[in-house]
Amino acid sequence: MSNKMWGGRFETGPDAIMEEINASIGFDQRLYAQDIAGSKAHASMLAAKGIIDKADAEKIVAGLDTILSEIDAGDFTFQRALEDIHMNIESRLAVLLGPAAGRLHTARSRNDQVATDFRLYVRDTIDTLDAQFKDLQKALVEKALVHSGTVMPGFTHLQTAQPVTFGHHLLAYVEMLGRDRGRFRDARARLNECPLGAAALAGTSFPIDRFATAKALGFDRPTANSLDSVSDRDFVLETLAAASIAAMHLSRFAEEIVIWTSPLTGLLKLSDRFTTGSSIMPQKRNPDAAELVRAKIGRIAGAFSGLLMVMKGLALAYAKDMQEDKEGAFDALSTLSLMIAATSGMVRDMVPDEKRMKDAAGSGYSTATDLADWLVRVLGLPFREAHHVTGRIVALAAGRDVALHKLSLADMQEVEPRITNEVFGVLSVAKSVASRVSYGGTAPKNVRAQAKRWLKQLDKPA
Ligand code: ARG
């Protein structure tokens, strides 16, 4: 049998392989709520403009509500022979209403329908992700406030560089997530135009009101070019690009968690709730959640580049290639959601080992820069000379295998005779971080001020 929806000029139905490669119902059934919302708005508009009967429109809307509850309740049989979510719903509507159902597809096409559904879906997903990002930021800020004065080693090249505070380190991620939220917000603002009514590609001869359907669906306005309306997937690409960057941030943080929880550093403990054991080595506490957060960026960036390849070189307007926009995006966006949830859980439960952090912060001559700065500030040495003098003092300490502050004043004066006892005041890690008061610096009082600024901002209603 040929297809009920478009089989008028066909004699036989599709080959099984044709059906298999063509069907999207296996994945686009996720769009059912958006598809029904779009159809309801369309039917009401058609009636308001006198294009279909009010009575038919009412029946259609009621029928669509019935279908929505059937699908919500798991009482709906999706059929692969009906290809996609649009035709599955329309075909069920025909069973419920008879011929009146056939009026719904006046002045629209699956091309503008799917573009509308997917925009609505991505918009909803961005809103959910934004709430999750905000929750993660809150977890980080609260932890940062508790640890505004907890000293830890700061790294460059993963080599101990200068002491920083744990709170300061956590707030770095709050900044990143703030930019991530901004990128999603920007993408959302650009996607919020309604393609419905562009029909197959050229618009329609029916006197439709695209402004009304756009408004009913919460869009700012209708899209302005019918060809662009059905062939554009920028809104998916932008969202996946934002998701890839956000996932990269979470991956970096996850890597740090892996390093910090390794017995090699022992800087951090994760809770039992976010660690796993080994089936053979009873002592193990593996940071699996962090490792998976570190890894899952692969599928998100993969979905982004996959869709970019699908869209590349596609002549206008709609082509079936574009059906390949969904699976990767669905997977990527739900993966990101899980990554954020796991990261929030780890952050809320994580406990730094403050003693180990402080000891590690003081190792590797991390206050050498403080010594050089002291030579500049107090003795008036040019920085380059101070750097050289400090280097010789570090070499002296290294030769004796002691920390900088364990050298005697006489030892230091051998290198630079004008050094006084006052120098010991800057060599401790606590003094070092407390002195970094430049805007954006790691001093505990800066960290507290930044954390409070963020808390205020996060508590503001959206
Ligand atoms: N399932 C299709 C998709 O996801 C819907 C649009 C189909 N349009 C068409 N002309 N065959 O892209």
Side-chain angles (χ1 to χ4, degrees):
M1 210 189 53
S2 68
N3 188 295
K4 273 194 287 193
M5 302 284 170
W6 46 252
R9 65 165 295 179
F10 288 71
E11 280 168 15
T12 59
D15 188 88
I17 294 295
M18 176 65 216
E19 193 179 289
E20 187 179 346
I21 195 171
N22 200 36
S24 54
I25 188 61
F27 47 89
D28 69 10
Q29 50 182 267
R30 226 190 250 233
L31 299 175
Y32 73 94
Q34 290 80 8
D35 194 71
I36 287 170
S39 289
K40 284 169 67 175
H42 185 67
S44 306
M45 178 277 292
L46 291 176
K49 296 298 290 179
I51 301 168
I52 65 172
D53 267 7
K54 286 225 151 57
D56 282 344
E58 277 165 21
K59 273 199 260 172
I60 288 171
V61 168
L64 289 166
D65 281 333
T66 304
I67 296 172
L68 181 64
S69 31
E70 287 175 356
I71 301 179
D72 276 339
D75 267 351
F76 189 97
T77 318
F78 293 103
Q79 292 175 56
R80 195 174 78 172
L82 292 166
E83 270 184 53
D84 56 25
I85 186 63
H86 325 294
M87 296 207 294
N88 269 270
I89 289 175
E90 207 188 315
S91 150
R92 175 72 185 139
L93 195 65
V95 172
L96 292 174
L97 309 187
R103 305 207 178 269
L104 170 61
H105 213 54
T106 315
R108 75 168 189 192
S109 144
R110 277 187 291 155
N111 298 349
D112 57 338
Q113 205 180 341
V114 73
T116 305
D117 293 2
F118 206 17
R119 278 188 195 236
L120 289 171
Y121 179 89
V122 172
R123 193 179 71 184
D124 292 345
T125 306
I126 287 176
D127 292 343
T128 310
L129 287 172
D130 185 66
Q132 283 193 277
F133 276 129
K134 187 173 167 174
D135 177 64
L136 173 54
Q137 281 184 305
K138 214 159 174 201
L140 286 162
V141 173
E142 278 161 3
K143 188 108 325 187
L145 209 46
V146 174
H147 292 289
S148 60
T150 303
V151 180
M152 67 173 273
F155 305 95
T156 60
H157 315 264
L158 200 53
Q159 306 285 319
T160 304
Q162 292 174 355
V164 295
T165 55
F166 186 48
H168 194 54
H169 198 110
L170 295 177
L171 288 185
Y173 286 96
V174 177
E175 295 291 329
M176 292 177 228
L177 296 172
R179 292 193 295 275
D180 289 324
R181 291 177 67 194
R183 270 181 282 273
F184 279 104
R185 218 169 20 242
D186 291 349
R188 190 196 195 282
R190 256 186 306 280
L191 79 66
N192 207 28
E193 295 186 346
C194 185
L196 192 60
L201 74 164
T204 174
S205 58
F206 290 100
I208 59 170
D209 183 353
R210 293 193 57 211
F211 289 85
T213 42
K215 195 168 168 217
L217 294 169
F219 288 110
D220 296 328
R221 62 191 80 84
T223 49
N225 180 297
S226 61
L227 293 169
D228 180 46
S229 306
V230 294
S231 62
D232 167 47
R233 291 295 181 271
D234 290 2
F235 63 98
V236 194
L237 286 167
E238 276 195 57
T239 303
L240 289 176
S244 301
I245 296 173
M248 172 273 287
H249 291 147
L250 297 180
S251 177
R252 294 180 76 172
F253 187 40
E255 163 69 350
E256 297 192 320
I257 293 174
V258 171
I259 294 172
W260 296 342
T261 53
S262 162
L264 283 175
T265 69
L267 299 182
L268 190 71
K269 254 213 163 74
L270 286 176
S271 67
D272 285 359
R273 304 193 316 148
F274 286 95
T275 30
T276 54
S278 154
S279 52
I280 173 169
M281 298 163 284
Q283 84 285 10
K284 291 292 290 289
R285 290 178 61 80
N286 295 331
D288 290 34
E291 293 169 84
L292 287 162
V293 169
R294 181 173 63 185
K296 279 182 188 289
I297 184 182
R299 45 212 280 179
I300 297 177
F304 171 58
S305 71
L307 182 56
L308 206 54
M309 292 309 101
V310 167
M311 298 306 293
K312 169 192 169 298
L314 266 194
L316 302 189
Y318 178 83
K320 201 57 175 268
D321 306 53
M322 289 162 71
Q323 180 167 286
E324 288 291 307
D325 61 354
K326 291 175 204 61
E327 282 166 291
F330 288 151
D331 177 71
L333 297 175
S334 40
T335 296
L336 180 60
S337 169
L338 183 58
M339 289 167 75
I340 304 171
T343 307
S344 300
M346 286 190 283
V347 169
R348 289 210 157 89
D349 284 10
M350 65 175 47
V351 180
D353 184 327
E354 296 185 31
K355 177 164 187 324
R356 287 192 77 131
M357 275 193 170
K358 190 168 176 205
D359 290 349
S363 75
Y365 308 104
S366 67
T367 55
T369 317
D370 298 273
L371 172 55
D373 287 352
W374 185 89
L375 295 170
V376 170
R377 214 174 38 244
V378 180
L379 301 186
L381 261 53
F383 183 76
R384 280 293 153 222
E385 199 186 323
H387 184 286
H388 184 76
V389 168
T390 305
R392 289 183 51 208
I393 295 175
V394 166
L396 195 68
R400 297 197 192 151
D401 200 20
V402 294
L404 275 183
H405 65 278
K406 292 279 153 97
L407 286 176
S408 69
L409 181 61
D411 291 334
M412 294 203 203
Q413 284 174 337
E414 246 170 65
V415 181
E416 170 50 64
R418 285 173 298 167
I419 292 180
T420 65
N421 243 328
E422 210 192 294
V423 78
F424 291 99
V426 301
L427 296 182
S428 81
V429 290
K431 289 255 165 53
S432 169
V433 293
S435 72
R436 299 287 195 268
V437 289
S438 54
Y439 184 77
T442 196
K445 72 171 195 189
N446 285 24
V447 173
R448 275 192 298 276
Q450 290 287 348
K452 285 185 184 150
R453 172 181 70 82
W454 269 112
L455 273 187
K456 227 195 232 155
Q457 194 172 319
L458 294 170
D459 283 338
K460 258 193 245 154

